[in-house]
Amino acid sequence: MLVPSAPVRGPRRSSGLDSLVSNMTNAPIPNNGRGNWGSRFAFVLAAAGSAIGLGNIWRFPVSVSEGGGGAFLLIYLFCVAVVALPVMLAEMVVGRAGEKNPVGAMRHLKPKSPWFLFGALGVLTGVIILSFYSVIAGWTIYYVIEAARGTFQPDTDTEALFENMAASGGIELLFHAVFMILTIVVVAAGVRKGIERTVKILMPLFFVLLVVLMLRALTLPGAAEGIAFYLKPDFSQITGGIWVMAIGQAFFSLSLGMGAMITYGSYLNKQENLPVSAACVAGADTLIAILAGLIIFPAIFFAGMTPGGGGPALVFITLPQIFAQMPWAPYGGMLFGVAFFVLLGVAALTSAISLLEVVVAHMVDDWKWNRRKSAWILGGVIYVIGIPSALSLGAVPALSGFLGIMDGIANYTLVIGGLGLALFVGWGWGLGHALAEIREGTPGFRLAKVWSVLIRYVAPAAITVILGNQIFQLVRKMIAGF
Ligand code: TRP
């Protein structure tokens, strides 16, 4: 995660040393008035921090279980490789070339054309996603407290635990607020050196903890059934709807389709190797998602549940089952429970920051608001928009399902945003410009041809077929309903 470096006003710097010096002296170097990453790796770290989050641990297993298991996994991997990865590179390129948020960048690269509307859709999508993302991230804070109190015992009814939390409007609103405030504080401050350092330590720790949990999960009774469900493809289950879920999940998990990578790319210097960065971020994110599946599915079968009906709560009900089975009860469960939910909360925070950053960057770049004011006002508005989601899991029955609906809307708008971006880079702005921008940092970009074909034809065609089929089905259903 990481946000643009401290609001230092300096020209694009090519070395970490320059930015370190200007950060220390806070020298007002004249420039475009925007931040800059502190080091070459800060960007990859920030982009990976954005990608790795609740999408991997919470949303991915839910999608797999609703999508029927192994076949979904294969479709997901296909979508990542063929559509999402090329789009990720395209976003980074547009950001670095346009030096602005999605709206500003598209306007800058292709003035007096309506392409920027895709950027605007992205900013709106950021608002929608963050509104419910913050609710779920709030649960991680609540679960840290529960884990610390030693709640996760072998005989704990984790379903009841979750439902009690979800049904309490007060708890939901409180933790939604706590998480949103954390997000706002970080974005308002710009990047602190401390955050970069913290993430460098916490992300690897998160990975180690996931591997340990995976080992525990794989040795639980029932693990084999879970693994079979997760890894054995059953293609008879595949529908057009599952393709939409898979591609939407790929965009969500990799933080694509709303300009997060455009915005982060805009704080980048020209030396960065964009294709390698994109591949690292996508690879790390996919690895973590696959790992999460190896934890959740054994746990589901161990707990005697069936995948498919879990809904948004899935992870928060199944994971505590594993903590309850840690050695040295109750301390083993406490330790792992606290560590896991703290790290999940951090991973969520590094993602939420990128969501708010897009919206804030838009106000700062295009409306000349100040960063601090934008962060607090927009964060507050997004909090309010998130209230119905927070109350939709039991607190207010009339709102039941609202969070899922917001999530479902985002699934579509992200994919539409991705389509717009691919078309913009492939046709609107132009591949020649994009390739020239990539070559600034990667003179020998060997996959230029492959990427050009993917971004120009394959990605737009795949998205159009997947979305088109779904819309066709919807229309058919509506007609049949008359
Ligand atoms: N990718 C993050 C996750 O997996 C969520 C996220 C952050 C996101 N920024 C985004 C999703 C931009 C879509 C677009 O949790």
Side-chain angles (χ1 to χ4, degrees), residues 254-311:
L254 296 175
S255 298
L256 298 175
M258 59 141 303
M261 295 298 161
I262 295 180
T263 308
Y264 273 16
S266 75
Y267 304 118
L268 204 53
N269 68 57
K270 300 282 182 194
Q271 274 74 43
E272 188 66 53
N273 185 330
L274 294 179
V276 168
S277 305
C280 285
V281 173
D285 186 78
T286 307
L287 183 68
I288 301 270
I290 291 175
L291 264 180
L294 289 174
I295 297 171
I296 308 298
F297 291 104
I300 291 177
F301 283 82
F302 165 73
M305 298 191 250
T306 42

Side-chain angles (χ1 to χ4, degrees), residues 343-384:
L343 294 180
L344 185 58
V346 170
L349 184 62
T350 59
S351 299
I353 287 166
S354 75
L355 287 162
L356 185 56
E357 176 64 26
V358 172
V359 189
V360 166
H362 172 57
M363 297 316 286
V364 171
D365 290 343
D366 299 338
W367 299 87
K368 308 289 169 232
W369 282 24
N370 103 12
R371 166 171 282 274
R372 190 165 289 279
K373 177 175 121 188
S374 320
W376 282 101
I377 292 179
L378 297 167
V381 169
I382 294 170
Y383 175 78
V384 172

